[in-house]
């Protein structure tokens, strides 16, 4: 098993608690009958949750609950991949379904009853969280960069830099290169070399990846624009062409964050302030435009963002599969995927 580290120097975040109550079957009289009546939901075998609470959870929180339920039935797990990401509050797309943990390196990897045990001979920084453990965010990012689509890898790498102040692009790259196994090493180089803590949300990280895969010029991130009324900040800025880009979440204008008309009016006023400070145009996009990269391509091309390389058709096509029809969990950002 990987060596256990009691702390990570730059990590200052407690694990994310389970979002719903979990009930062991042995502690609930006639749990199976209650589940049959619809009062309880089976989270994993032998662990239930009240149906009313479960129905309110988005997919990623159901996954987090499943991770916590698995910890109850398998104490001492060392979580990895999306499961470590979930308990650290790193972005998780939709419900990955399977819980991931590290196991004895002398045995083969295996999947049983929704729990995948990975074997590894490499060194991992592992944080003891009391009753269970999880690989540190940096190692989690490297694992995901090696095993998932490059867009997902960049989302994880950006999040690891935001979460752990001691982490850096250089340290992420070094962890990848030092792993004994070469499996996934080359794939992971693309997202790890591009990681930026300045990307404040899942949507921004995914946008950066798709922008480059489409062949467009790399933008500056989080540029501030001061004025007499307010200081505004743009998610993306192309200074050579005078274009600003805003990654606005699809959920921002559906009513859950206030009156959509008022929110849109505020956006227009902000865009006007930005244009008055010398920005030629401000373009907006949401998650659905990333799921369909052709849509984002049309937005950027129409605005006049310079294309500096040929698109990567294979990675763009597979990005559709990796991202759709998922929505990111907005946990580890000061400005969430929704743009609020």
């Amino acid at each position: 098993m990987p060596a256990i580290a009691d702390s990570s120097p730059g990590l200052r975040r407690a694990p994310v608690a389970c979002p719903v109550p979990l009930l062991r079957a042995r502690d609930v009289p006639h749990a199976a009958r209650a589940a049959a009546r619809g009062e309880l939901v089976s989270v994993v075998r032998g662990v239930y949750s009240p149906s009313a609470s479960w129905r309110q959870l988005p997919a990623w929180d159901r996954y987090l609950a499943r991770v916590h339920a698995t910890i109850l039935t398998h104490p001492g797990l060392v979580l990895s991949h999306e499961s470590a990401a979930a308990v650290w509050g790193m972005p998780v797309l939709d419900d990955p379904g399977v819980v991931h943990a590290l196991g004895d390196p002398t045995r083969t990897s295996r999947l049983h009853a929704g729990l995948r045990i990975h074997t590894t001979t490499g060194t991992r920084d592992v944080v003891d969280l009391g009753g269970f453990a999880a690989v540190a965010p940096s190692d989690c990012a490297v694992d995901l960069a090696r095993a998932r689509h490059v867009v997902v890898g960049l989302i994880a790498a950006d999040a690891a830099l935001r979460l752990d102040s001691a982490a850096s692009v250089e340290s992420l790259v070094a962890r990848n290169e030092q792993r004994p196994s070469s499996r996934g090493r080359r794939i992971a180089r693309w997202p790890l070399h591009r990681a930026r803590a300045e990307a404040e949300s899942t949507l921004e990280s995914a946008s950066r990846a798709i922008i480059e895969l489409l062949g467009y010029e790399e933008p500056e991130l989080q540029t501030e624009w001061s004025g007499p009324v307010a200081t505004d900040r743009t998610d993306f800025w192309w200074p050579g062409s005078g274009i600003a880009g805003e990654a606005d979440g699809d959920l921002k204008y559906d009513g859950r964050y206030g009156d959509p008309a008022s929110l849109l009016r505020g956006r227009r006023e902000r865009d006007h302030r930005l244009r008055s400070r010398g920005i030629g145009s401000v373009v907006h996009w949401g998650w659905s435009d990333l799921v369909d990269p052709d849509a984002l391509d049309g937005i950027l091309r129409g605005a006049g963002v310079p294309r500096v390389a040929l698109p990567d058709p294979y990675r763009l096509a597979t990005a559709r599969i990796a991202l759709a029809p998922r929505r990111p969990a907005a946990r580890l950002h000061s400005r969430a995927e929704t743009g609020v």
Side-chain angles (χ1 to χ4, degrees), residues 262-273:
S262 297
L263 292 172
L264 287 169
R265 183 167 55 253
R267 189 178 88 170
R268 287 194 299 270
E269 292 172 352
R270 181 175 180 272
D271 288 355
H272 177 73
R273 290 196 303 271

Side-chain angles (χ1 to χ4, degrees), residues 113-139:
L115 173 62
R116 180 174 293 281
I117 301 296
H118 299 263
T119 59
T120 176
T121 57
T123 301
R124 300 286 197 285
D125 286 340
V126 176
V127 182
D128 188 345
L129 297 172
F132 72 100
V135 299
S138 291
D139 273 312

Side-chain angles (χ1 to χ4, degrees), residues 267-324:
R267 189 178 88 170
R268 287 194 299 270
E269 292 172 352
R270 181 175 180 272
D271 288 355
H272 177 73
R273 290 196 303 271
L274 290 171
R275 286 192 292 270
S276 71
R277 294 166 189 168
I279 293 179
S281 63
V282 184
V283 293
H284 298 262
W285 62 83
W287 190 261
S288 59
D289 300 309
L290 300 184
V291 173
D292 178 13
D294 290 341
L296 183 58
D297 187 24
I299 292 169
L300 299 178
R301 185 177 64 251
V305 177
R307 196 190 296 272
V308 295
L310 293 175
D312 187 331
Y314 174 75
R315 283 175 169 166
L316 288 169
T318 50
R320 298 172 187 263
I321 301 171
L323 298 177

Side-chain angles (χ1 to χ4, degrees), residues 61-87:
D61 274 340
R62 292 188 180 188
Y63 179 69
L64 175 61
R66 191 173 298 111
V67 171
H68 279 281
T70 303
I71 292 167
L72 281 180
T73 57
H74 297 78
L77 284 179
V78 178
L79 301 175
S80 67
H81 296 80
E82 286 89 353
S83 302
V87 299

